[in-house]
Amino acid sequence: MDLRYTAAEEQFRTELRAWLAETLPTLPEKPDTGDWAGRRAYDTGFQRLLFDAGYAGVDWPKEGGGRGSSPVEQLVYVEELERAHAPYVGVNFVGLLHAGPTIVAEGTPEQRARYLPPILRGDDVWCQGFSEPDAGSDLAALRTSAVRDGDDYIVNGSKIWTSHAEVADFCELLVRTGPAETKHKGISWLIMDMDAPGIEIRPLRTIAGATEFAELFFHDVRVPVANRVGQENDGWRVTMVTLSFERGTAFVGELLQSMELLHSLREVDDADGSPNADRIGHLGAELDALWALTRRNVSEAARTGVPGIGGSVFKLAFSELRQRIGELGMDLIGRGGLSWDELDGPAWSRSAGGPGNAELVDTWVNSFSRTIAAGTSQIQRNIVAERILGLPKG
Amino acid sequence: MDLEHSLDQDALAGVVRAIVAGRFSMERIRRREGTPLVVDPDDWAALGEAGVFSLTVAEDEGGVGLGMADAAVVFEELGRGLVPGPLVASHLAAGLTDSPLFAGAADGTTVVGAVTRPRMSDTGARVPLIVEHLASLDAMIVVGHDGLLSVLSTDDLEAEPIAHPLDPLTPLSVLTSLPEGDPVGDRDTAIRFTQGTHILTGALCAGMAAATCSMAVDYAKERQQFGRPIGSFQAVKHLCADMLVRAEVARAAVDVAAVTADQPDTGDTVRAAAGAALLAAEAAIANAKTSIQVHGGMGFTWEVPVHLYLMRARVLASSLGPLGALARTVAARY
Ligand SMILES: Cc1cc2nc3c(=O)[nH]c(=O)nc-3n(C[C@H](O)[C@H](O)[C@H](O)COP(=O)(O)OP(=O)(O)OC[C@H]3O[C@@H](n4cnc5c(N)ncnc54)[C@H](O)[C@@H]3O)c2cc1C
């Protein structure tokens, strides 16, 4: 066991840090949460800067146009971006972490050439059309149908919880190409152009009041057969490839951000005589431990070449921990947490060195999605019990 | 950066597992339940011979010259096997090479314990001074009120045995007085001792948490109710998943704390060690309790050894002082 980085990794870190120090001050002001056009421009603008500097798709293989870095360098990359408070991956999430890597692994040469470069350049934004009203945790129960008509599929049905749908150019879409009773064996993975006729988008309002995700309705939408990734009815296997990327380092940025947030909360608490030191220290020990676990998972991925199942252990622990940090923030600011907007006030204001009340409210409210999105905690427990511990399926 | 065990560390773990299976099988250690001499001198010397105590002592001082990371690997295995005895104190004593009392600690011919000098309670009443394995000890490390260490021989100590110790494999005595002893080392020595205690006690606890998890999982695969294994019921499955998460998180924390102790420029050892000890102790307790639940009525029997893990976890957790103080140490350095 070794916590030191190689000279090459340190070199990578130093160069990236210098580039970030130079680049971040040149970024435009961050847009409001509700300003989707502005958010798209901001997130893709930063992606373009990364691309021009050679940092787009750090962990993508070279043949996909990425940098081909090791999992350890990818970790250093995420760590440095977070420490420098660089913009989050934002609307580029599905393209960079889901659809892109899936097309690299499973796509045809034509698909790779057509779809990968614009993701890396920040030209194209993707969304994920997996979940349906009647197929959430039981994703394989999905019913959106795709029927062959010459060189096209004709798609009918609906999707739900599609994040960033309003600003997306493409959708990674799971459809049923076999009879309903085929379940896992009748699914295909398609690339759908979001400008195709027959797609209706209805934004959904989240508990944070924002429109982070939407419902999609499909009325005879034509998707070329050439846009299928993998074989017909082999989409479930392709999906498992997609989801394995998500368990890699997708949550590391938020882990590091949580550590910084806890540090600020400790300062707020100290200013008040440290009444919550036990609780803060406990959460701190847990965050440190999950950072340790992350580095062990990355070590394993570096050896085996694939993100391991340890990601499920991490996701389960971190999503619940994130909620408890959210609760701590709310408890510390007391009645300062009763407004969505920034308040001027003593203990909870930025002048005390801590985050503002609005940021803490936002952290707390959004933490509730962490145990639901990307596989609920109950489903993660099933996965850990069945795939790691080998307990029988119920 | 690599947090997987090296091949050497895997081999080391294998050596310890073999000793545990041979000399410290559950059947064998349980024969000593409730006796004052749970530590068998031959077995202790065998641990010494395998390097359990001399692992982190420098080679030119007669040790193996490995690091805390290797010691953590070894102690996780000892914890998994519920090996009894003052393992942590004896290991750390072997590193205090300038004390003549500890000459044999490294090879396991001297058994060394540790105790923290208790403070008066608020009402002025004396807090009882409880020592583990006193009848087996040759010498003792005392952590003083100022945090500094002293050592003393256990030959002339006056003590009353506790008739029914919570953990039948950790005999206890109450000391009626505690002499001053001879000072050993400086403030840095004392700080390293505390860190070492946190890391190695944490490693024992992490191993125990993994063991009670495995016991529950094995039982859940075997035991049938309603015509199917209880492990197919989600309520049981989720208990097991949570046990694995606690054990894995604790082990990662302990390993990183140990590597940080070996490579101090990579992090804050005090914070890492205190946090790891805290999470590992809690995991050992919580997993033992959960494992009892998964075993049903069998879990409440003396026969099934899960309760021994619970009681040992309590002994080890108490040796760390109040867990809240560990949390506050982390908070102060966050
Ligand atoms: C913020 C956010 C963003 C999202 N973005 C996207 C996106 O971009 N694209 C996309 O396709 N999806 C997205 N999702 C959807 C997400 O993947 C689903 O919400 C999730 O898989 C759960 O499905 P569900 O909502 O239908 O809940 P259900 O499956 O109906 O679950 C309801 C409850 O029942 C429990 N439950 C269900 N089955 C079991 C079981 N077998 N055992 C035990 N408990 C069970 C669940 O744990 C949960 O508590 C997003 C969700 C959120 C919250």
Side-chain angles (χ1 to χ4, degrees), chain A residues 1-4 263 266 277-278 281-282 284 288 292 295-296 299 303 378 381-382 385-386 389-390 392 394, chain B residues 1-4 9 221 232 234 237-238 242 248 251-252 256 263 265 271 279 282 327-328 330-332 334:
Chain A
M1 289 185 279
D2 190 354
L3 281 170
R4 298 211 179 100
H263 168 76
R266 197 213 70 188
D278 281 37
H282 201 287
D288 286 356
R295 286 175 291 171
R296 199 171 69 204
S299 306
R303 176 173 55 83
Q378 287 68 39
R381 285 187 170 85
N382 289 348
E386 289 166 14
L389 297 175
Chain B
M1 198 279 300
D2 183 4
L3 283 174
E4 291 201 296
Q9 283 164 341
K221 287 178 184 170
S232 67
Q234 211 171 60
K237 237 178 227 182
H238 288 191
D242 287 339
E248 286 291 288
R251 185 166 68 89
V256 160
Q263 304 175 338
D265 53 323
R271 167 169 137 186
L279 297 186
E282 287 180 345
R328 288 191 292 279
V330 176
Y334 218 83

Side-chain angles (χ1 to χ4, degrees), chain B residues 73-95:
Chain B
V73 169
V74 167
F75 274 65
E76 281 162 25
E77 289 302 332
L78 296 171
R80 204 184 294 267
L82 200 69
V83 172
L87 295 159
V88 174
S90 288
H91 178 99
L92 295 173

